[in-house]
Amino acid sequence: MTQLPVLNFSSEATGTTRDGRRASLPPRHLADLDLAGRRAAVAELGEQAFRAGQVSAHYFGRLIRDPAEMTDLPARSRAAITDALLPQLLHPVSELATDNGTTRKTLWRLHDGALVESVLMGYPDRVTVCVSSQAGCGMACPFCATGQAGLTRNLSTAEIVDQVVWFAGQAARGALPGCPDRLSRVVFMGMGEPLANYNRVIAAVRRLTEPAPEGLGLSQRHITVSTVGLVPGIRRLTEEGLSVTLALSLHAPDDDLRDTLVPVNQRWKVAEVLDAAFEYAARTGRRVSIEYAMIRDVNDHPWRADLLGRLLSGRLAHVNLIPLNPTPGSKWDASPKPVEREFVRRLRAAGVATTVRDTRGREIDGACGQLAASSGGTVGEREDGLLARRANEETQ
Ligand code: SAH
């Protein structure tokens, strides 16, 4: 039997650094607070509390963060208010773009030197951002680049929200040619396991969906939270009364294989995690998305398609197949197209809606499972924060 990693699945703590020190949270930011908290923070400075609403409207409503542009704040207190509520949390290290500039990946350095990535994807009808919820990840899925380096720490609420607000600002300023200028969707499919940073992720979802000036005003239905299958987290999410989409990274319909591909399966088995996901779907009326990376000769057998079809038939679920993005040095590869087509055919024959995900951002290591900033070397680091674009992208 293969050696299985030992995991701490339930850590709600901020996390510890790899050398065992306690990770430090970033400075407080308005996105960590509700409006009442922001008003209190402004009042502490000796300023009038309603200034909190003004700053919030700039940040969430107008997508600006430069104090010089906040001309409705008195010039003498602008710096004090923005220092207290809008510290810079994300420092861009590099940005890579591909697909004629409609896919962009940014590597950020956080206040303590931790690195995370986010990816912006523009389509003719929508703009989606893929955000990280943790620096690194503790779930140890062997095919995922992020999983290889382990967990550095949880992100704060504002560190999550600010990834979205930053890109919303880029989109509003016309950064994505041929795409809407309004960012409309958020997927928690970047680095990290969202349900292992539960409280901060839920607070971020609330901030992203409350209308301005409280939040960014996105639709809950346009937010997808993706999980390896932390059953207590799924059950808690079911009770939140949110209507976000749940994605479950299943990757195998049988426990023997899933125990190795998604090690958390050693704790919560396929039947149990599917039960929790179906319960979420029943409660919210939202179809659950079953994520399945197609790995050649590992999980792509016709019998596994049939077994998956039986597990999902008649349920409020659809399957999203992801051609595996091989990580550097991995022994695994994506399934051949004919094998993928047969897998799709069998699932559909069982009455299960099935799609194959497009692999946006592959060339810039921005596709699913390729985010591995903390291991270094995947992106050319630039200290000056300027764009480090691929030379060929402008010529396409
Ligand atoms: N921890 C969460 C979210 C992050 S990963 C989760 O596991 O759901 C987002 C999706 O990308 C997951 O379905 C994950 O299993 C998948 N993924 C990870 N590595 C991949 C790879 N190398 N190729 C294709 N998909 C991958």
Side-chain angles (χ1 to χ4, degrees):
M1 182 158 168
T2 28
Q3 182 98 38
L4 296 171
V6 179
L7 297 170
N8 174 12
F9 297 130
S10 56
S11 166
E12 252 300 304
T14 308
T16 44
T17 56
R18 243 161 281 143
D19 58 7
R21 279 178 302 121
R22 186 120 183 95
S24 62
L25 276 178
R28 178 191 62 191
H29 183 282
L30 67 82
D32 290 313
L33 306 169
D34 60 14
L35 203 48
R38 294 173 213 165
R39 290 169 64 88
V42 168
E44 267 170 37
L45 299 171
E47 299 289 339
Q48 288 165 297
F50 75 91
R51 301 283 179 214
Q54 291 177 309
V55 184
S56 302
H58 285 301
Y59 177 75
F60 282 122
R62 297 178 57 208
L63 306 172
I64 61 173
R65 55 184 80 217
D66 177 1
E69 292 182 55
M70 303 185 185
T71 50
D72 54 347
L73 298 180
R76 52 163 180 80
S77 40
R78 250 178 243 164
I81 294 174
T82 50
D83 282 356
L85 286 181
L86 286 175
Q88 185 171 350
L89 301 176
L90 308 177
H91 302 272
V93 175
S94 66
E95 180 173 317
L96 297 171
T98 184
D99 302 323
N100 292 318
T102 58
T103 304
R104 316 171 82 91
K105 179 178 76 166
T106 301
L107 170 67
W108 313 101
R109 181 180 293 109
L110 309 179
H111 81 111
D112 56 354
L115 297 170
V116 294
E117 294 181 325
S118 359
V119 184
L120 181 66
M121 292 160 288
Y123 302 85
D125 62 332
R126 65 187 192 280
V127 174
T128 300
V129 61
C130 174
V131 295
S132 295
S133 56
Q134 300 181 310
C137 185
M139 297 298 124
C141 302
F143 57 90
C144 173
T146 312
Q148 305 318 299
L151 177 66
T152 301
R153 69 165 168 89
N154 283 331
L155 299 193
S156 70
T157 300
E159 284 172 327
I160 298 168
V161 170
D162 201 37
Q163 295 170 56
V164 182
V165 174
W166 191 288
F167 279 132
Q170 281 200 357
R173 288 183 283 277
L176 298 173
C179 305
D181 57 12
R182 193 170 183 279
L183 183 149
S184 54
R185 288 172 196 260
V186 176
V187 296
F188 283 84
M189 293 189 179
M191 300 169 82
E193 165 53 38
L195 298 186
N197 185 14
Y198 188 91
N199 291 335
R200 297 181 192 90
V201 164
I202 296 304
V205 168
R206 295 201 187 281
R207 218 64 82 215
L208 292 172
T209 55
E210 284 154 353
E214 192 95 31
L216 194 59
L218 301 179
S219 156
Q220 287 183 7
R221 291 166 174 261
H222 288 169
I223 295 189
T224 299
V225 174
S226 182
T227 179
V228 287
L230 304 185
V231 167
I234 297 173
R235 298 216 180 278
R236 234 175 127 187
L237 187 64
T238 307
E239 303 301 325
E240 294 286 346
L242 294 168
S243 48
V244 297
T245 299
L246 179 70
L248 171 63
S249 298
L250 196 67
H251 304 311
D254 53 308
D255 286 321
D256 278 353
L257 180 56
R258 194 166 192 267
D259 278 349
T260 64
L261 290 183
V262 185
V264 77
N265 196 72
Q266 297 158 43
R267 177 93 162 256
W268 294 288
K269 298 295 173 189
V270 170
E272 200 182 350
V273 76
L274 282 178
D275 255 10
F278 295 153
E279 173 67 22
Y280 182 85
R283 198 76 77 80
T284 57
R286 312 278 307 146
R287 209 160 65 147
V288 170
S289 182
I290 303 294
E291 309 296 303
Y292 200 104
M294 290 290 284
I295 314 176
R296 182 201 290 254
D297 297 334
V298 171
N299 66 352
D300 60 359
H301 314 88
W303 72 265
R304 285 199 159 93
D306 293 341
L307 175 54
L308 185 60
R310 284 198 296 280
L311 293 175
L312 300 182
S313 171
R315 302 297 192 157
L316 201 51
H318 75 280
V319 173
N320 194 15
L321 297 178
I322 317 170
L324 182 82
N325 293 307
T327 55
S330 156
K331 55 183 189 287
W332 286 324
D333 202 357
S335 304
K337 283 293 155 192
V339 173
E340 182 184 285
R341 277 195 291 274
E342 178 62 9
F343 208 88
V344 172
R345 194 191 65 73
R346 285 174 183 255
L347 282 171
R348 288 188 179 150
V352 178
T354 305
T355 50
V356 178
R357 183 183 296 176
D358 84 293
T359 51
R360 274 284 184 112
R362 269 197 170 196
E363 312 88 287
I364 55 171
D365 290 339
C368 265
Q370 291 185 314
L371 302 186
S374 54
S375 67
T378 55
V379 231
E381 274 204 36
R382 295 272 301 262
E383 294 301 327
D384 54 10
L386 292 176
L387 297 191
R389 289 197 186 137
R390 289 171 71 89
N392 64 359
E393 124 221 16
E394 314 272 72
T395 57
Q396 285 168 4

Coordinates of all heavy atoms in Angstrom, one line a residue, residues 130-131 133-134 137 139 141-147 188-195 225-229 247-251 261-262 290-295 320 322-327 330 357 359 362 367-371, ligand 1:
C130 N -10.2 34.1 -10.6 CA -10.0 32.9 -9.8 C -9.1 33.3 -8.7 O -8.0 33.8 -8.9 CB -9.3 31.9 -10.7 SG -8.7 30.4 -9.9
V131 N -9.6 33.2 -7.4 CA -8.8 33.8 -6.3 C -8.2 32.7 -5.4 O -8.7 31.5 -5.4 CB -9.7 34.7 -5.4 CG1 -10.1 35.9 -6.1 CG2 -10.9 33.9 -4.8
S133 N -7.4 31.4 -1.6 CA -7.9 31.6 -0.2 C -6.8 31.3 0.9 O -7.0 31.6 2.0 CB -9.1 30.7 0.0 OG -8.8 29.3 -0.2
Q134 N -5.8 30.7 0.5 CA -4.6 30.4 1.4 C -3.3 30.6 0.6 O -3.3 30.5 -0.6 CB -4.7 29.0 1.9 CG -5.9 28.6 2.6 CD -5.9 27.1 3.1 OE1 -5.6 26.2 2.3 NE2 -6.2 26.9 4.4
C137 N -1.3 25.3 0.3 CA -2.4 24.4 0.6 C -2.0 23.2 1.4 O -0.9 22.7 1.1 CB -3.1 24.0 -0.7 SG -4.6 23.1 -0.5
M139 N -3.7 20.3 1.6 CA -4.5 19.1 1.3 C -3.7 18.1 0.5 O -4.2 16.9 0.4 CB -5.8 19.6 0.5 CG -6.7 20.5 1.3 SD -7.4 19.7 2.7 CE -6.9 20.8 4.0
C141 N -3.0 17.1 -2.5 CA -3.4 16.3 -3.7 C -2.2 16.2 -4.6 O -1.5 17.2 -5.0 CB -4.5 17.0 -4.4 SG -6.0 17.2 -3.4
P142 N -1.8 14.9 -4.9 CA -0.5 14.7 -5.6 C -0.4 15.3 -7.0 O 0.7 15.5 -7.5 CB -0.3 13.2 -5.6 CG -1.7 12.7 -5.5 CD -2.5 13.7 -4.6
F143 N -1.5 15.6 -7.7 CA -1.4 16.1 -9.0 C -1.5 17.6 -9.1 O -1.4 18.2 -10.2 CB -2.6 15.5 -9.8 CG -4.0 15.8 -9.2 CD1 -4.6 17.0 -9.6 CD2 -4.5 15.0 -8.2 CE1 -5.9 17.3 -9.0 CE2 -5.7 15.3 -7.6 CZ -6.4 16.4 -8.0
C144 N -1.6 18.3 -8.0 CA -1.8 19.7 -7.9 C -0.5 20.4 -7.5 O 0.1 20.0 -6.5 CB -2.9 20.0 -6.9 SG -3.1 21.8 -6.7
A145 N -0.1 21.4 -8.3 CA 1.2 22.1 -8.0 C 1.1 22.8 -6.6 O 2.1 22.7 -5.9 CB 1.4 23.1 -9.1
T146 N 0.0 23.4 -6.3 CA -0.1 24.1 -5.0 C 0.1 23.1 -3.8 O 0.7 23.4 -2.8 CB -1.4 24.8 -4.8 OG1 -1.7 25.6 -6.0 CG2 -1.4 25.8 -3.6
G147 N -0.5 21.9 -4.0 CA -0.5 20.9 -3.0 C 0.9 20.4 -2.6 O 1.1 19.9 -1.5
F188 N -13.4 30.4 -6.3 CA -12.4 30.0 -5.3 C -11.7 28.8 -5.7 O -11.8 27.7 -5.2 CB -13.0 29.9 -3.9 CG -13.4 31.2 -3.2 CD1 -14.6 31.8 -3.5 CD2 -12.5 31.8 -2.3 CE1 -14.9 33.0 -2.9 CE2 -12.9 33.0 -1.7 CZ -14.1 33.6 -2.0
M189 N -10.9 28.9 -6.8 CA -10.2 27.8 -7.4 C -8.7 28.1 -7.6 O -8.0 27.5 -8.3 CB -10.8 27.4 -8.7 CG -12.2 26.9 -8.6 SD -12.8 26.2 -10.2 CE -14.4 25.6 -9.7
G190 N -8.2 29.1 -6.9 CA -6.8 29.4 -6.9 C -6.1 28.6 -5.9 O -6.5 27.4 -5.6
M191 N -5.1 29.2 -5.2 CA -4.4 28.4 -4.2 C -5.2 28.2 -3.0 O -5.9 29.1 -2.6 CB -3.1 29.1 -3.9 CG -2.2 29.3 -5.0 SD -0.8 30.5 -4.7 CE 0.3 29.4 -3.9
G192 N -5.1 27.1 -2.4 CA -5.7 26.9 -1.1 C -7.0 26.1 -1.1 O -7.6 25.9 -2.1
E193 N -7.4 25.7 0.1 CA -8.7 25.0 0.3 C -9.6 26.0 1.1 O -9.4 26.2 2.3 CB -8.4 23.7 1.1 CG -9.7 23.1 1.7 CD -10.8 22.8 0.7 OE1 -10.5 22.4 -0.4 OE2 -12.0 23.1 1.1
P194 N -10.6 26.5 0.3 CA -11.4 27.6 1.0 C -12.1 27.1 2.3 O -12.2 27.9 3.2 CB -12.5 27.8 -0.1 CG -12.0 27.3 -1.4 CD -11.0 26.2 -1.0
L195 N -12.6 25.9 2.4 CA -13.3 25.5 3.5 C -12.4 25.2 4.7 O -12.8 25.0 5.9 CB -14.2 24.3 3.3 CG -15.3 24.5 2.2 CD1 -16.2 23.3 2.1 CD2 -16.1 25.8 2.5
V225 N -17.5 28.2 -4.8 CA -16.6 27.8 -3.8 C -16.3 26.3 -4.1 O -17.1 25.5 -4.1 CB -17.2 27.9 -2.4 CG1 -16.2 27.3 -1.3 CG2 -17.4 29.4 -2.0
S226 N -15.0 26.1 -4.3 CA -14.5 24.7 -4.7 C -13.8 24.1 -3.5 O -13.0 24.7 -2.9 CB -13.6 24.8 -5.9 OG -13.2 23.5 -6.3
T227 N -14.2 22.8 -3.2 CA -13.6 22.1 -2.1 C -13.1 20.7 -2.4 O -13.7 20.1 -3.3 CB -14.6 22.1 -0.9 OG1 -14.0 21.4 0.2 CG2 -15.9 21.4 -1.3
V228 N -12.1 20.3 -1.7 CA -11.7 18.9 -1.7 C -12.7 18.0 -1.1 O -12.7 16.7 -1.3 CB -10.3 18.6 -1.0 CG1 -9.2 19.2 -1.8 CG2 -10.3 19.2 0.4
G229 N -13.6 18.5 -0.3 CA -14.6 17.7 0.3 C -14.5 17.6 1.8 O -14.6 16.6 2.4
A247 N -18.6 23.6 -5.7 CA -17.9 22.7 -6.6 C -17.2 21.7 -5.7 O -16.5 22.1 -4.7 CB -16.9 23.4 -7.5
L248 N -17.3 20.4 -6.1 CA -16.6 19.3 -5.3 C -15.6 18.7 -6.2 O -15.9 18.1 -7.2 CB -17.7 18.3 -4.8 CG -17.1 17.1 -4.2 CD1 -16.4 17.4 -2.9 CD2 -18.3 16.1 -3.9
S249 N -14.3 18.7 -5.7 CA -13.2 18.1 -6.5 C -13.2 16.6 -6.2 O -12.6 16.2 -5.2 CB -11.9 18.8 -6.1 OG -12.0 20.1 -6.4
L250 N -13.9 15.9 -7.0 CA -14.1 14.4 -6.7 C -12.9 13.6 -7.3 O -12.2 12.9 -6.5 CB -15.4 13.9 -7.2 CG -15.9 12.6 -6.7 CD1 -16.2 12.7 -5.2 CD2 -17.1 12.0 -7.5
H251 N -12.7 13.7 -8.5 CA -11.6 13.1 -9.2 C -11.5 11.6 -9.3 O -10.7 11.0 -10.0 CB -10.2 13.6 -8.7 CG -10.1 15.1 -8.8 ND1 -10.4 15.9 -9.9 CD2 -9.7 16.0 -7.9 CE1 -10.2 17.1 -9.7 NE2 -9.8 17.3 -8.4
L261 N -5.7 10.2 -4.6 CA -5.7 11.4 -5.4 C -6.1 12.6 -4.6 O -5.6 13.7 -4.8 CB -6.7 11.3 -6.6 CG -6.3 10.3 -7.7 CD1 -7.3 10.4 -8.8 CD2 -4.9 10.7 -8.3
V262 N -7.0 12.4 -3.6 CA -7.5 13.5 -2.8 C -7.4 13.0 -1.3 O -8.3 12.4 -0.8 CB -8.9 13.9 -3.1 CG1 -9.4 15.1 -2.3 CG2 -9.1 14.2 -4.6
I290 N -19.4 18.8 -10.1 CA -18.4 17.7 -9.7 C -17.2 17.9 -10.6 O -17.3 17.7 -11.8 CB -19.1 16.3 -9.8 CG1 -20.4 16.2 -9.0 CG2 -18.0 15.2 -9.5 CD1 -20.2 16.3 -7.5
E291 N -16.1 18.2 -9.9 CA -14.8 18.5 -10.7 C -14.1 17.1 -10.8 O -14.0 16.4 -9.9 CB -13.9 19.5 -10.0 CG -14.7 20.8 -9.6 CD -15.2 21.6 -10.8 OE1 -14.3 21.9 -11.7 OE2 -16.4 21.8 -10.9
Y292 N -13.6 16.9 -12.0 CA -13.0 15.6 -12.3 C -11.8 15.8 -13.3 O -12.0 16.1 -14.4 CB -14.0 14.6 -12.9 CG -13.6 13.1 -12.7 CD1 -14.3 12.3 -11.8 CD2 -12.7 12.5 -13.6 CE1 -14.0 11.0 -11.7 CE2 -12.4 11.2 -13.5 CZ -13.0 10.4 -12.5 OH -12.8 9.1 -12.4
A293 N -10.6 15.8 -12.7 CA -9.4 16.0 -13.6 C -9.1 14.7 -14.3 O -9.1 13.6 -13.7 CB -8.2 16.4 -12.8
M294 N -9.1 14.7 -15.6 CA -8.9 13.5 -16.4 C -7.4 13.1 -16.5 O -6.6 13.8 -17.2 CB -9.5 13.7 -17.8 CG -11.0 13.8 -17.8 SD -11.8 12.2 -17.4 CE -11.6 11.3 -19.0
I295 N -7.0 12.1 -15.8 CA -5.6 11.7 -15.7 C -5.4 10.3 -16.4 O -6.0 9.3 -16.1 CB -5.1 11.5 -14.2 CG1 -5.6 12.7 -13.4 CG2 -3.6 11.4 -14.2 CD1 -5.3 12.6 -11.9
N320 N -17.9 18.4 -14.4 CA -17.0 19.3 -15.1 C -15.6 18.6 -15.2 O -14.9 18.4 -14.3 CB -16.8 20.6 -14.3 CG -16.2 21.7 -15.2 OD1 -16.1 21.6 -16.4 ND2 -15.8 22.8 -14.5
I322 N -11.8 18.2 -16.2 CA -10.7 19.1 -16.4 C -9.6 18.3 -17.0 O -9.1 17.4 -16.4 CB -10.2 19.7 -15.1 CG1 -11.4 20.2 -14.2 CG2 -9.2 20.9 -15.4 CD1 -10.9 20.5 -12.8
P323 N -9.2 18.6 -18.3 CA -8.0 17.9 -18.8 C -6.8 18.2 -17.8 O -6.6 19.3 -17.5 CB -7.7 18.5 -20.2 CG -9.0 19.1 -20.5 CD -9.7 19.6 -19.2
L324 N -6.1 17.1 -17.3 CA -5.1 17.4 -16.3 C -4.0 18.3 -16.9 O -3.6 18.2 -18.0 CB -4.4 16.0 -16.0 CG -3.3 16.2 -14.9 CD1 -3.9 16.3 -13.5 CD2 -2.2 15.1 -15.0
N325 N -3.6 19.3 -16.1 CA -2.5 20.1 -16.4 C -1.3 19.5 -15.7 O -1.2 19.6 -14.5 CB -2.7 21.5 -15.9 CG -3.8 22.2 -16.6 OD1 -3.8 22.3 -17.8 ND2 -4.7 22.8 -15.8
P326 N -0.4 18.8 -16.5 CA 0.7 18.1 -15.8 C 1.6 19.1 -15.1 O 1.9 20.2 -15.6 CB 1.4 17.5 -16.9 CG 0.5 17.5 -18.1 CD -0.3 18.7 -17.9
T327 N 1.9 18.8 -13.8 CA 2.8 19.7 -13.1 C 4.2 19.3 -13.4 O 4.5 18.2 -13.7 CB 2.5 19.6 -11.6 OG1 2.6 18.3 -11.2 CG2 1.1 20.1 -11.3
S330 N 5.9 15.7 -12.9 CA 4.9 14.7 -12.6 C 4.9 13.6 -13.6 O 5.3 13.7 -14.7 CB 3.5 15.4 -12.6 OG 2.5 14.5 -12.9
R357 N -13.9 21.4 -19.2 CA -13.5 22.8 -19.0 C -12.4 23.2 -20.0 O -11.5 22.4 -20.3 CB -12.9 22.9 -17.6 CG -12.5 24.3 -17.2 CD -11.9 24.4 -15.9 NE -12.8 24.0 -14.8 CZ -12.5 24.0 -13.5 NH1 -11.2 24.3 -13.2 NH2 -13.3 23.6 -12.6
T359 N -9.1 25.1 -21.0 CA -7.8 25.2 -20.2 C -7.1 26.5 -20.4 O -6.0 26.6 -20.8 CB -6.9 24.0 -20.6 OG1 -6.8 24.0 -22.0 CG2 -7.4 22.7 -20.1
R362 N -2.9 28.1 -19.7 CA -1.9 27.0 -19.6 C -0.5 27.5 -19.8 O 0.4 27.2 -19.1 CB -2.2 26.0 -20.6 CG -3.1 24.9 -20.1 CD -3.0 23.7 -21.0 NE -3.7 22.6 -20.3 CZ -3.5 21.3 -20.6 NH1 -2.8 20.9 -21.6 NH2 -4.2 20.4 -20.0
A367 N -3.4 27.9 -15.3 CA -4.6 27.0 -15.4 C -4.8 26.2 -14.1 O -3.9 26.3 -13.2 CB -4.4 26.0 -16.5
C368 N -5.9 25.6 -13.9 CA -6.2 24.9 -12.7 C -5.1 24.0 -12.2 O -4.5 23.2 -13.0 CB -7.4 24.0 -12.9 SG -8.9 24.7 -12.5
G369 N -4.8 24.2 -11.0 CA -3.8 23.3 -10.4 C -2.3 23.6 -10.7 O -1.4 23.0 -10.2
Q370 N -2.1 24.7 -11.4 CA -0.8 25.1 -11.7 C -0.2 26.2 -10.9 O 0.9 26.6 -11.1 CB -0.7 25.5 -13.2 CG -0.9 24.3 -14.2 CD -0.7 24.8 -15.6 OE1 -1.2 25.8 -16.0 NE2 0.1 24.0 -16.3
L371 N -1.0 26.8 -10.0 CA -0.6 27.9 -9.2 C 0.4 27.4 -8.1 O 0.0 26.6 -7.2 CB -1.8 28.6 -8.6 CG -2.8 29.1 -9.6 CD1 -3.9 30.0 -8.9 CD2 -2.2 29.9 -10.7
Ligands
SAH1 N1 -8.8 23.3 -2.9 C1 -9.9 23.5 -3.7 C2 -9.8 24.6 -4.8 C3 -8.5 24.8 -5.5 S1 -8.1 23.8 -7.0 C4 -10.3 22.2 -4.4 O1 -9.5 21.3 -4.4 O2 -11.4 22.2 -5.0 C5 -9.3 24.1 -8.2 C6 -9.5 22.8 -9.0 O3 -8.4 22.5 -9.8 C7 -9.8 21.6 -8.2 O4 -10.9 20.8 -8.7 C8 -8.5 20.8 -8.3 O5 -8.6 19.5 -8.0 C9 -8.1 21.1 -9.7 N2 -6.7 20.8 -10.0 C10 -5.7 20.8 -9.2 N3 -4.6 20.5 -9.9 C11 -4.9 20.2 -11.1 C12 -4.2 19.8 -12.3 N4 -2.9 19.7 -12.2 N5 -4.9 19.7 -13.4 C13 -6.2 19.9 -13.5 N6 -6.9 20.2 -12.4 C14 -6.3 20.4 -11.3

